[in-house]
Amino acid sequence: MDNQFNQQGNYNQQGGSYQQGNGYQQSNPYQQGNAYQQGGSYQQGNGYGNYNGGVEAQKAPNIFQQFAYSFVPNLYDRLAKVKTGSMIGFVTLLVLAATLLSFVSVMVSFSGIDMEEIAAQLPEFELSGGRLHMAEDFMLDEGSVFIYMTEDIDSFSYDDADEIADEGYQDVMLVGRDRISIMQNGEYQQLDFGDLGESFSLSREWIATGLAPFVTVIIVVAYIIYFLWRILWYFLCAAIYLLFGMLIASAMNKQVPGEVLFKTAVYAKVLMFVVATLLGLIPFVDISVPFLFRVAVTIAFMGFAIRKLPDNRLTPAPMMGQGWQ
């Protein structure tokens, strides 16, 4: 019986509490209930940490989703997941689309201009060697426009243009042998032909045949520079709106990362940017969105978005005594 007891009923082999029921193996709070392993808020409670590290984190919006979500401030928490490179690409495509629409509109209008017809209304002249050559004087007095060209007078002055403008003309152009003087709506400009160089040449025939391609090249180059400037200006404005976002978050007593606030500013600008672009494309209508109105709408969008963004402030971890319960 002693042998049987040692094989079947040995307390230390089958029923020993140190092997099966040892509280330090199964019930030790430091293994199963430790607040710092499973329940620690510093590991799981960060609202923005789940954007990139969560297993079930939502996928960042693509370019088209970014455009759609930018009109809905309640969805800006999804836009906060967008990577910086993707955000820059979105702004670049947005500005490119707006610039191309404006460029096409200008080129369509320019293509409708008949340069030969315009040249036919001009007198026979040639500008070469730093001076004007004309067989006879030319004068156009039509409505609010006054033009006078002659080689018998070397140049005109501001007083000459201002005296004619006082008679009710809005556009005044006086061309002498050595200088052109222009006054438009009270603003005066002049150019000495000698500053153009001895090799510069201009005539009525060149205006009819060569001006259109020359102007086209100038427009293309100008729009490329304009496109690059608009991208830079967009982000500069977003940086200024970032300051307003920081004030709004502080007033709401919320802690939001600066990167998220900057993205909020970038996407909040989309609405007014699109509206201004579309209004600029309407032909024969001079409508512009007031600057203060654009600022107010953008800041309002940021306010609604920040109100929905999660607070990044960390909550204290549970007390150690709670792990023994």
Side-chain angles (χ1 to χ4, degrees):
M1 291 183 63
D2 293 339
N3 185 32
Q4 186 178 7
F5 175 79
N6 292 332
Q7 293 179 353
Q8 299 179 1
N10 192 319
Y11 179 77
N12 293 330
Q13 291 181 356
Q14 299 179 0
S17 61
Y18 290 95
Q19 293 181 353
Q20 298 179 1
N22 193 328
Y24 289 93
Q25 293 180 354
Q26 297 182 1
S27 302
N28 192 330
Y30 288 96
Q31 295 179 352
Q32 297 180 359
N34 193 324
Y36 289 94
Q37 292 181 354
Q38 297 182 0
S41 63
Y42 290 96
Q43 294 180 351
Q44 299 179 0
N46 189 329
Y48 289 91
N50 291 334
Y51 281 165
N52 296 321
V55 176
E56 297 181 356
Q58 294 180 343
K59 186 177 179 181
N62 57 37
I63 295 294
F64 300 102
Q65 290 173 327
Q66 291 176 48
F67 181 76
Y69 292 170
S70 64
F71 296 96
V72 186
N74 291 344
L75 299 178
Y76 275 37
D77 58 331
R78 302 184 185 181
L79 294 175
K81 304 180 182 72
V82 176
K83 294 182 179 180
T84 302
S86 180
M87 179 190 67
I88 295 176
F90 166 76
V91 173
T92 301
L93 290 177
L94 179 67
V95 175
L96 177 62
T99 304
L100 286 177
L101 288 175
S102 177
F103 173 76
V104 170
S105 177
V106 169
M107 292 305 298
V108 169
S109 300
F110 180 72
S111 63
I113 299 177
D114 190 346
M115 301 305 299
E116 294 185 359
E117 181 179 351
I118 294 178
Q121 300 177 6
L122 297 176
E124 283 287 352
F125 76 95
E126 182 180 357
L127 182 61
S128 62
R131 58 160 293 173
L132 175 69
H133 303 274
M134 295 187 66
E136 58 183 16
D137 297 348
F138 171 79
M139 185 177 68
L140 173 64
D141 186 351
E142 184 175 322
S144 61
V145 178
F146 182 87
I147 301 175
Y148 182 66
M149 302 174 63
T150 180
E151 69 170 348
D152 296 333
I153 301 176
D154 57 353
S155 62
F156 295 92
S157 64
Y158 169 84
D159 294 334
D160 298 327
D162 185 59
E163 182 179 353
I164 296 177
D166 288 340
E167 298 179 8
Y169 296 100
Q170 294 182 354
D171 300 306
V172 177
M173 184 173 71
L174 303 176
V175 185
R177 184 185 67 233
D178 302 323
R179 177 190 299 169
I180 177 173
S181 299
I182 299 175
M183 179 170 286
Q184 293 179 307
N185 298 320
E187 296 185 4
Y188 177 78
Q189 296 178 338
Q190 67 179 32
L191 173 65
D192 292 333
F193 298 140
D195 295 338
L196 299 175
E198 293 292 330
S199 60
F200 181 83
S201 178
L202 180 66
S203 64
R204 188 177 74 169
E205 289 73 17
W206 185 84
I207 292 177
T209 58
L211 181 60
F214 180 74
V215 173
T216 300
V217 173
I218 292 178
I219 293 176
V220 171
V221 174
Y223 263 92
I224 292 175
I225 298 174
Y226 179 54
F227 164 65
L228 297 176
W229 166 249
R230 292 184 79 180
I231 295 176
L232 178 61
W233 181 249
Y234 193 104
F235 284 115
L236 285 176
C237 291
I240 296 176
Y241 282 117
L242 168 63
L243 301 179
F244 290 99
M246 296 173 65
L247 293 175
I248 294 173
S250 177
M252 294 181 180
N253 195 26
K254 298 185 68 172
Q255 183 175 347
V256 183
E259 180 183 358
V260 176
L261 289 177
F262 183 74
K263 292 177 181 178
T264 301
V266 168
Y267 293 108
K269 280 177 50 61
V270 172
L271 173 62
M272 287 293 96
F273 183 85
V274 172
V275 171
T277 299
L278 294 179
L279 290 178
L281 297 176
I282 300 177
F284 310 111
V285 177
D286 186 12
I287 301 177
S288 61
V289 182
F291 173 74
L292 292 179
F293 179 78
R294 296 176 64 173
V295 172
V297 171
T298 303
I299 293 177
F301 259 57
M302 293 185 65
F304 284 112
I306 293 173
R307 184 172 59 90
K308 290 293 184 179
L309 290 175
D311 195 340
N312 198 41
R313 187 179 290 107
L314 297 176
T315 56
M319 298 296 294
M320 289 185 62
Q322 296 179 357
W324 295 86
Q325 298 178 358

